[in-house]
Structures are given as structure tokens and as C-alpha cells.
Amino acid sequence: MLIGGTATGQTQVLDGFNAASIDRAVSILRSGGLVAFPTETVYGLGADGLNQIAVAKIFEAKGRPSTNPLILHVPHVEAARPLASHWPDLAARLAEKFWPGPLTIILPASEMVPGIVRAGNPSVALRSPNHPVALELLNAFGGPLAAPSANKTTETSPTKPEHVLRSMGGRVNLILDGGRTPSGIESTIIDLTASPPILLRPGPIPPSELEAILGDMARFEGAVSANSIQAAPGMSRRHYAPMASLTLHEPSDLVKKLIAFQQASDEKIAVVVLGDCVELPPGCNHKRLPDDPNQVSSRLYAVLHDLDSQGYQRILFQRPPSTDDWLAVRDRLDRASDVEADDAL
Ligand code: TXA
Ligand code: MG
């Protein structure tokens, strides 16, 4: 049954801000189906987090290795607590300050959490997303939702419903349309099972704000190969990659590299620059993003999706500064980039 909205294959797209759409989503989730929903970071591909058969459908739909665990999403701290075997003071303080919000906390799992969600690990990832549609859905569903980003494994995460439809159309029962996601990159992940806690994935929350609560915090410096055993299994290189080959270049090198690439092949090339310190040759296909890390994170994936859909084969991206405020953007660009091509020129 379709309550208004559009359908592609077996995928419905409904207005997420509508109560009837939430009802429809809840009934799909209760019967073990998949619902994509907006969060403040990226769209999630949700299933009943306590139903192993439903969770297995997430892995299948994404083509995700079963060794890569999922985040359980909850509406508030009280819903998170039973999912952890204990709730340390640091978890309470982080949740108090950052939930609902773009922070995922790794804690020892309770017996409630199915092994498939944890990929067999003793820990579980918990997050309370700060988005009205996600919170409405979580409250109405009344249980945790397992949800990775709603894209096929190794593709760029979706920040708009049309990105979800392009990647997952026919593989998800319903997409709740909440428009563009505001933060635009995935949540910050902090592992509290380690001492000191480890920042596993930089994200919208600046490291300094975490350090203010945690004191000592280690950083996971990990572009690790896809098959190795690792702290956050999804943190492999080229995990966030666009279809085009992406290379990173210092502002002073960018134009030189562009000319070299243009002379070496007939590829359709786009350049992405930050602010106005790089002067580009006339006629060069380019996007100019603001020289501001928050604005770049919020638009980064949408720019990559757009360039892919416009058929660009190569993206030359200006390397962001190496300061902490650019950490999350740098991390995603490093993972999206094609090191070999950069070395080749
Ligand atoms: O912003 C986000 O976090 C989005 C939205 C939908 O909430 N979700 C997301 O999920 O990015 P996903 O599955 O694409 O990335 C979650 C990351 C993966 O790298 C996974 O390996 C890691 O979290 N992870 C999940 N459970 C873990 C655990 N128990 N221990 C270590 N890493 C874990
Ligand atoms: Mg993902």
C-alpha cells in the first residue's frame, strides 16, 4: 500500500514529517523490513535492532561484510542503558552533553544485543540521533534501530533521499524523506571500552570538546586495509569513495597537476577548491566551497554525488589544512582518495 509519495521498484518514498509515514515505517520495521531515515549526519538504513533476521537484511542490502558491526540508534539515554552491560560515568557525561547528537559511544554490550549487530564483538555502538524524523521514528517504534549509512558498502554516504534511492532503490522498503541532512558526515565514534578512550572516527564533534570531558583520549590513526582485523572495521581505506578517482593536492600544486592530468588523458576532470586562494585557468570545471570545515562537511558528500552523476572521471580536490578543525573532512577525503593516482603524477 502506498500512502501518497512515490515508489521506485519496491521502494516507497514518503514525507518523513508526516504522522502517517511514521506509522507506515513502524509497521514495516515490526514486520522485519528495512526503512531508510534521515539523521543529522547522513541517512541510515534501519531495521529492528533486536531482530536478527531483520538485521541480516541490512548486511545483504548493503553488500556489507558480516565482520563490520552496526550502530544501535535510540531516542534517549534511558533506552540506551539496557543495551550496555554497564554504564560508566564517562558515558553518562558524554551522553548528557552530546545526546541527542552526532556522537556514537562504544560500550560493553549487554545480553540483549544480538551477535549479528555486534559482528561477534563483546562491545556495542550506541547513538541517539538529533533529527526530528529519526526521533519521531525511534519513539514510535519503541526499540533500538540498527542502522548503518544507507549506501552500498564502499559508496559515498547519502545526505539526500535521492542518494539513498540511487544506491539502495529496490533494496529498502521505504525511504522517509527528511530533505538534506544538516551535518553531512557520519557521527564521531568514541570507544569507551579502551583506556584511555579512543577516538575511532572523527566527526562533527571537535576532538577538543571530547577531551574536555574525557581528559586523556587516544586517536585511532587508521587507514587500514579492508581485510585486516581492526578497531573499527568500517574504517577501511576507500570506504567513502566516489566512483571518480579523487586525488588531493596542495593549493600551490593544484593547477600544475590539473594541466598534467589534462595532458595525460581525455578524462572528464573536475577541480574542487576551498575559498579563493587558488586561481583556476578559464573554462576549468570546478566547484568552489567555502574555506570553512563545517560548511565543507555539510556539503562534501553531496558534491561527490553530484560530480559522479555528472560523469566526472577524475576529481582534483584541494587538500584541507592539517589543523584539528579540519580533522573529520581530512579523514573522509583521505578515505575517498586514490593514493596510487596521486603518486603517479
Ligand atoms: O552518523 C552515523 O554514525 C551514521 C548514521 C546513520 O547514524 N551511521 C553510520 O553507520 O555511519 P556505519 O555503519 O556506516 O558506520 C559505523 C561505524 C563502522 O565503521 C563500524 O565498524 C563501527 O561504526 N562500529 C560499529 N559497532 C562497533 C563496535 N562495537 N566496535 C567498534 N566499531 C564499531
Ligand atoms: Mg557507512
Side-chain angles (χ1 to χ4, degrees):
M1 187 187 63
L2 190 68
I3 313 169
T6 52
T8 298
Q10 296 154 358
T11 301
Q12 293 179 8
V13 183
L14 296 177
D15 176 9
F17 293 95
N18 176 310
S21 313
I22 299 290
D23 288 349
R24 176 82 187 124
V26 168
S27 93
I28 290 170
L29 292 167
R30 293 224 168 105
S31 59
L34 299 182
V35 173
F37 61 95
T39 77
E40 79 281 43
T41 59
V42 299
Y43 275 76
L45 181 66
D48 179 347
L50 302 182
N51 175 343
Q52 302 183 48
I53 295 166
V55 173
K57 291 182 191 163
I58 293 180
F59 286 92
E60 197 189 321
K62 277 182 65 89
R64 181 175 175 115
S66 60
T67 48
N68 192 358
L70 303 175
I71 299 172
L72 286 181
H73 295 68
V74 291
H76 40 64
V77 182
E78 295 71 45
R81 290 189 68 143
L83 301 166
S85 65
H86 66 278
W87 196 257
D89 184 48
L90 285 181
R93 286 164 59 199
L94 287 176
E96 159 86 16
K97 174 138 171 71
F98 297 110
W99 282 8
L103 180 69
T104 297
I105 305 176
I106 312 252
L107 286 166
S110 77
E111 283 177 5
M112 272 177 77
V113 181
I116 188 169
V117 170
R118 300 179 273 110
N121 294 299
S123 59
V124 63
L126 300 171
R127 154 161 141 81
S128 179
N130 188 15
H131 191 287
V133 174
L135 288 170
E136 199 67 41
L137 179 67
L138 286 164
N139 279 311
F141 180 64
L145 289 179
S149 51
N151 53 284
K152 288 205 207 80
T153 294
T154 78
E155 288 183 2
T156 308
S157 293
T159 57
K160 296 179 181 176
E162 54 265 38
H163 301 157
V164 182
L165 199 55
R166 212 178 300 145
S167 183
M168 303 302 294
R171 294 164 179 263
V172 51
N173 302 94
L174 169 65
I175 300 171
L176 289 174
D177 180 349
R180 195 172 72 85
T181 63
S183 278
I185 56 167
E186 302 84 351
S187 62
T188 302
I189 304 182
I190 188 89
D191 184 353
L192 289 189
T193 67
S195 182
I198 305 174
L199 176 65
L200 287 183
R201 180 171 72 182
I205 296 174
S208 59
E209 290 192 26
L210 296 168
E211 277 157 351
I213 290 181
L214 298 173
D216 205 9
M217 179 181 83
R219 294 184 187 195
F220 179 66
E221 309 286 351
V224 275
S225 84
N227 297 324
S228 66
I229 296 168
Q230 49 197 262
M235 298 299 286
S236 51
R237 273 202 52 79
R238 285 197 70 77
H239 187 72
Y240 301 91
M243 253 103 79
S245 289
L246 185 148
T247 49
L248 291 165
H249 305 280
E250 297 302 331
S252 55
D253 269 1
L254 198 52
V255 172
K256 216 166 45 202
K257 293 286 183 182
L258 169 65
I259 293 166
F261 273 115
Q262 282 171 333
Q263 287 172 348
S265 79
D266 295 333
E267 286 176 326
K268 195 174 171 194
I269 303 176
V271 174
V272 184
V273 285
L274 309 172
D276 51 15
C277 73
V278 175
E279 201 177 315
L280 293 168
C284 145
N285 298 313
H286 71 280
K287 285 232 186 248
R288 202 175 279 279
L289 295 174
D291 187 15
D292 172 86
N294 292 327
Q295 291 192 53
V296 172
S297 22
S298 110
R299 289 171 56 189
L300 178 63
Y301 290 156
V303 166
L304 298 181
H305 278 287
D306 282 353
L307 293 174
D308 269 345
S309 66
Q310 290 161 26
Y312 284 98
Q313 293 152 297
R314 180 164 298 282
I315 304 169
L316 274 63
F317 211 110
Q318 181 183 329
R319 192 184 289 284
S322 47
T323 46
D324 251 11
D325 50 345
W326 287 92
L327 182 67
V329 169
R330 268 201 328 273
D331 172 80
R332 300 310 189 276
L333 282 172
D334 279 342
R335 290 174 203 290
S337 73
D338 188 340
V339 177
E340 297 78 31
D342 198 21
D343 290 345
L345 275 178

